[in-house]
Amino acid sequence: MRKLTQFVLVAAAMMATPAFAEMKIAVLNYQMALLESDAAKKYAVDAEKKFGPQLNKLKTLESDAKRIQDRLVKDGEKMQQAERERLELEFKQKARDFQFQSKELNEAKAVADRDMLKQLKPKLDKAVEEVLKQGSYDLVLERGAVVDVKPQYDITRQVIERMNQQR
């Protein structure tokens, strides 16, 4: 609450000065600029191809485990002890396999995401720098720090276009 009050006071003081009227201000959604770039979209398609088979395996394991669980709930009382124990054991094994493979997939995807970010961040930073220089902005705010903004002050699309022009 105190930080919000300080921010409002600073903003009010800035608006009261004649220099503020001449300031050129922009807003940038950094995350959107990254994710909406052609390179990020291509990465998403490539990642889908790369991790799709593993994801399909997980879905199959999940549906198999669910099928076994449903059978145990529905027919468990009627089954012989040996059959019920076999199904319970099979269910536990599928659940363990699901957890293990899910963790492996998440870790592999996280590594790939970090590598992609490591590659794209310099390109994004360069695109931002070029747009800022071209626009001669005095103040640029992250979109998340702004409650509302008119579209003409949002430079996110310009940054995306500039990033897409880079090779």
Side-chain angles (χ1 to χ4, degrees):
M1 186 70 178
R2 185 174 176 200
K3 284 193 179 263
L4 178 63
T5 305
Q6 288 174 339
F7 178 74
V8 170
L9 289 174
V10 168
M14 288 176 66
M15 286 187 225
T17 64
F20 182 76
E22 298 172 18
M23 283 183 76
K24 196 164 179 187
I25 299 173
V27 173
L28 172 64
N29 186 334
Y30 199 83
Q31 183 175 6
M32 181 180 161
L34 177 68
L35 296 177
E36 292 292 317
S37 69
D38 290 346
K41 288 178 182 177
K42 181 183 180 314
Y43 166 76
V45 170
D46 292 346
E48 180 72 30
K49 288 177 188 173
K50 180 178 180 181
F51 297 112
Q54 288 174 285
L55 190 58
N56 288 337
K57 273 186 184 177
L58 281 175
K59 287 178 183 177
T60 301
L61 270 174
E62 183 180 34
S63 65
D64 289 351
K66 177 80 171 120
R67 183 181 41 78
I68 293 169
Q69 185 180 36
D70 290 346
R71 185 168 171 216
L72 281 169
V73 168
K74 182 181 172 191
D75 300 330
E77 300 279 327
K78 303 173 196 169
M79 287 181 194
Q80 291 189 12
Q81 179 75 17
E83 175 70 7
R84 188 172 54 247
E85 287 175 359
R86 186 188 66 74
L87 283 176
E88 287 172 352
L89 185 63
E90 187 178 346
F91 173 76
K92 288 177 184 176
Q93 183 62 45
K94 289 202 183 290
R96 273 194 301 270
D97 289 348
F98 178 84
Q99 286 179 339
F100 178 75
Q101 289 181 23
S102 176
K103 183 180 176 189
E104 275 191 341
L105 177 62
N106 288 337
E107 288 172 358
K109 180 86 169 72
V111 167
D113 289 350
R114 279 192 302 275
D115 289 345
M116 183 270 305
L117 186 60
K118 196 182 291 186
Q119 282 183 340
L120 293 184
K121 188 168 179 340
K123 292 179 180 182
L124 178 60
D125 290 342
K126 183 179 179 191
V128 168
E129 187 179 315
E130 290 173 359
V131 169
L132 295 182
K133 191 180 290 185
Q134 179 185 7
S136 300
Y137 295 101
D138 298 309
L139 179 64
V140 179
L141 301 171
E142 168 61 41
R143 179 63 179 105
V146 178
V147 175
D148 193 27
V149 64
K150 292 183 180 178
Q152 66 262 29
Y153 296 115
D154 192 334
I155 61 170
T156 306
R157 281 278 149 221
Q158 294 171 31
V159 170
I160 293 169
E161 289 168 10
R162 183 64 58 106
M163 192 173 170
N164 289 343
Q165 291 170 359
Q166 295 176 9
R167 291 293 150 211

